[in-house]
């Protein structure tokens, strides 16, 4: 069995996670293998770094990450709004007006997705609410689907995120008594 939630580019080939049935330990092993293989690919690829302007959304996500990491859980409502928006569209846009993407807003600012993953990791750590981990898995699937488009630093960042994601998976597996081979 292969892990089916990473395509050529999940921003354009959106995944439908809704009502996905549990496919047992074989699926969980395929998930872990996809993460292991991806971390190796991330380490091997090299690209030229680019200089880019930061969007309104990236700046806001960076502030949210700093706030949640420093224990400010007052920002959780705003993080929840980003979760809801991502769950609906499977994209983060560079600018929103009343949580609808503005005309001409881009959705290919990968640093925003990486920072959003950081926010989700910290939100999960602070609250243990599984919706943050669930959303993290989807964001990370998308990032893995475009890893060849990321800069070296972005790929290193993604590797760090995937490492933390897999640690949470291990802790949850242990907590719920899921024993996998290997």
């Amino acid at each position: 069995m292969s892990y089916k939630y990473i395509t050529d580019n999940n921003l354009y080939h959106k995944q439908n996670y809704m009502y996905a049935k549990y496919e047992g330990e074989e699926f969980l092993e395929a998930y872990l293998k996809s993460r292991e293989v991806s971390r190796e690919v991330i380490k091997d690829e090299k690209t030229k770094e680019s200089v880019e302007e930061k969007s309104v959304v990236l700046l806001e996500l960076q502030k949210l990450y700093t706030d949640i990491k420093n224990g400010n859980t007052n920002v959780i409502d705003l993080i929840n709004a980003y979760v809801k928006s991502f769950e609906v569209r499977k994209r983060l846009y560079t600018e929103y007006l009343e949580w609808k993407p503005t005309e001409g807003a881009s959705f290919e600012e990968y640093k925003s997705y990486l920072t959003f993953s950081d926010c989700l990791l910290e939100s999960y750590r602070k609250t243990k609410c599984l919706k943050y981990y669930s959303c993290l898995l989807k964001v990370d699937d998308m990032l893995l689907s475009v890893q060849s488009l990321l800069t070296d630093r972005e790929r290193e960042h993604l590797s760090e995120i995937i490492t933390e994601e897999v640690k949470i998976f291990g802790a949850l597996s242990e907590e719920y008594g899921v024993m996998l081979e290997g």
Side-chain angles (χ1 to χ4, degrees):
M1 170 182 276
S2 65
Y3 183 73
K4 62 185 176 185
Y5 293 107
I6 301 172
T7 62
D8 289 333
N9 184 330
N10 285 12
L11 288 173
Y12 292 95
H13 306 281
K14 293 180 185 177
Q15 295 298 315
N16 184 7
Y17 298 91
M18 192 81 152
Y19 304 115
K21 70 176 189 157
Y22 174 63
E23 297 180 46
E25 290 179 9
E26 191 177 349
F27 171 78
L28 296 176
E29 289 170 357
Y31 153 75
L32 285 174
K33 183 73 175 164
S34 77
R35 292 329 199 229
E36 180 183 317
V37 167
S38 294
R39 282 188 290 191
E40 291 305 314
V41 170
I42 288 169
K43 290 177 188 172
D44 292 342
E45 292 182 6
K46 297 286 180 207
T47 59
K48 194 170 103 180
E49 298 291 321
S50 64
V51 177
E52 58 196 51
E53 289 186 36
K54 294 180 178 181
S55 71
V56 171
V57 166
L58 177 55
L59 291 171
E60 184 170 58
L61 286 168
Q62 288 173 331
K63 181 170 181 351
L64 286 173
Y65 174 65
T66 300
D67 286 348
I68 195 75
K69 187 168 178 136
N70 290 331
N72 180 359
T73 55
N74 293 331
V75 298
I76 210 75
D77 285 343
L78 190 49
I79 291 171
N80 287 339
Y82 275 104
V83 167
K84 181 178 179 182
S85 180
F86 181 82
E87 291 286 7
V88 169
R89 294 181 180 87
K90 301 296 185 265
R91 293 176 174 165
L92 288 176
Y93 287 85
T94 52
E95 190 174 4
Y96 293 93
L97 181 60
E98 297 180 22
W99 289 105
K100 292 186 176 120
T102 61
E103 188 172 326
S106 170
F107 54 84
E108 294 179 290
E109 183 180 52
Y110 304 120
K111 207 167 275 190
S112 291
Y113 295 94
L114 289 162
T115 306
F116 185 46
S117 286
D118 289 332
C119 290
L120 293 167
L121 278 168
E122 283 304 315
S123 297
Y124 174 78
R125 286 180 183 130
K126 300 288 191 242
T127 67
K128 299 299 183 209
C129 179
L130 287 174
K131 81 174 172 183
Y132 301 119
Y133 185 68
S134 175
C135 189
L136 174 70
L137 293 170
K138 296 165 192 166
V139 175
D140 291 352
D141 283 349
M142 188 286 304
L143 285 165
L144 289 169
S145 80
V146 296
Q147 66 185 340
S148 65
L149 303 174
L150 303 178
T151 65
D152 290 344
R153 177 61 199 123
E154 289 168 340
R155 276 198 296 279
E156 287 173 23
H157 189 170
L158 177 57
S159 181
E160 293 163 6
I161 290 167
I162 297 298
T163 298
E164 295 304 308
E165 172 198 309
V166 171
K167 284 180 187 175
I168 293 169
F169 176 84
L172 289 169
S173 295
E174 188 174 308
E175 180 180 341
Y176 290 99
V178 176
M179 305 304 259
L180 302 175
E181 293 180 24

